[in-house]
Amino acid sequence: MFRRFFTFHALAVLAGLAWYVNRKLENAQLEKVFYSFLAVAASYLLFKLVLEGVISRRIKDSRTRYSFRKTAQILFIVVSFIVVLRIWVPNPQALLVAYGLVAAGVAIALQDVFKNFAGVLAILLSGIYRVGDRIEINSRLGDVIDIGLFYTTLIELREWVDGDQTTGRITSLPNGQVLSYPVHNYTKDHNFLWDEIALPVTHDSNWKKAMEVVQSVVEEQTSESTHRAEQEISNLGEKYFLSKRNIEPSVFVTPTDNWIMLRIRYVVDVRERRLVRNELSKLMLERIQQAPDITIASETLTVTNIPPPA
């Protein structure tokens, strides 16, 4: 806050200095300098000190407070630019017509910059994602930790790390990518997803009993998250057209040439996927090992020795 007050006072002092010099010299350019500093100072006072510095502090929700501050920053830049441009160029349209080729060249050279700025407007206005969301854009997965004017900053997930856990790298994505690539948001409107665990058992195993074992384990461990997911997912019907979904854990059987594959499907909190999968896998293995009539399958290779011809 001290830095903001210092910046505002510096702008005010520069505006006052330009006014004093212009009063002595009565120069048209100095008058424009005075009005420019005055406009930027007034815009800084409104958006940076009042909105971003004072009003945002009364917002309790951290995400909403962050979005409000980012919006105030963007408005400060846009309003200041428009007002200063109006001061120095009374008729911007005539300027663009006179320097059409130059403007076109600048637009082509800076098309990525304009696209990234349009991207941040799309992000903030449409709510594609917010700070704290887990998103994936152009095969880049991570948690959003900052949304800037031109780049979105992520704390990276996966890559060389198994499971949905962070690598520790900070990734910056151009905001313009939201206009060119699909945006996968893992935490928008609800915080759950479906996950599956594949468990193969041999053909001579009691596969029905194996189904009962894994079903009981999953139901015990995911009952609370299933209840929360059912409430959140049911709320989606008020915002989107959503057909009925089976939330309860399920076990599906697929016979193959080598084994009988059991696929366990369940809902889990997005940020606890690997932890829950690990806990479920350990419990299922422990209980299956206690059942003598169930054997976990593995890929085998049979080698037949054919005797040479006599």
Side-chain angles (χ1 to χ4, degrees), residues 24 48 69 77 88 155 189-190 230 276 295:
K24 296 292 185 182
K48 302 291 286 185
R69 288 179 175 176
I77 294 174
W88 286 89
I155 181 76
D189 299 323
H190 68 91
E230 187 174 10
V276 172
T295 304

Side-chain angles (χ1 to χ4, degrees), residues 1-52:
M1 197 66 179
F2 174 77
R3 180 184 297 178
R4 293 195 184 101
F5 275 114
F6 177 80
T7 303
F8 171 72
H9 282 95
L11 291 171
V13 169
L14 290 173
L17 182 61
W19 173 82
Y20 178 79
V21 175
N22 177 61
R23 187 177 180 183
K24 296 292 185 182
L25 301 179
E26 295 184 358
N27 183 280
Q29 300 301 319
L30 287 175
E31 185 178 4
K32 291 181 179 180
V33 171
F34 160 65
Y35 283 119
S36 297
F37 278 119
L38 183 63
V40 174
S43 180
Y44 194 92
L45 175 64
L46 175 61
F47 295 108
K48 302 291 286 185
L49 290 180
V50 177
L51 294 182
E52 186 180 348

Side-chain angles (χ1 to χ4, degrees), residues 67-95:
S67 300
F68 185 86
R69 288 179 175 176
K70 280 295 179 180
T71 304
Q73 292 175 9
I74 294 174
L75 289 175
F76 165 69
I77 294 174
V78 172
V79 171
S80 299
F81 177 78
I82 293 175
V83 174
V84 172
L85 180 65
R86 183 65 178 175
I87 292 172
W88 286 89
V89 185
N91 191 354
Q93 185 176 1
L95 180 67

Side-chain angles (χ1 to χ4, degrees), residues 182-227:
V183 179
H184 303 292
N185 194 326
Y186 289 70
T187 53
K188 183 177 181 179
D189 299 323
H190 68 91
N191 293 305
F192 292 87
L193 51 76
W194 277 270
D195 194 20
E196 288 190 0
I197 297 177
L199 183 68
V201 297
T202 59
H203 282 279
D204 58 354
S205 295
N206 188 343
W207 60 271
K208 292 183 179 180
K209 183 177 180 181
M211 286 184 62
E212 295 175 357
V213 169
V214 297
Q215 181 83 29
S216 62
V217 169
V218 176
E219 287 180 352
E220 291 173 7
Q221 298 299 314
T222 64
S223 59
E224 184 177 347
S225 61
T226 300
H227 179 67

Side-chain angles (χ1 to χ4, degrees), residues 153-172:
T153 305
L154 308 178
I155 181 76
E156 187 184 56
L157 302 174
R158 293 183 185 168
E159 291 298 324
W160 64 85
V161 177
D162 292 333
D164 297 339
Q165 293 185 312
T166 180
T167 64
R169 290 196 307 193
I170 303 298
T171 301
S172 295

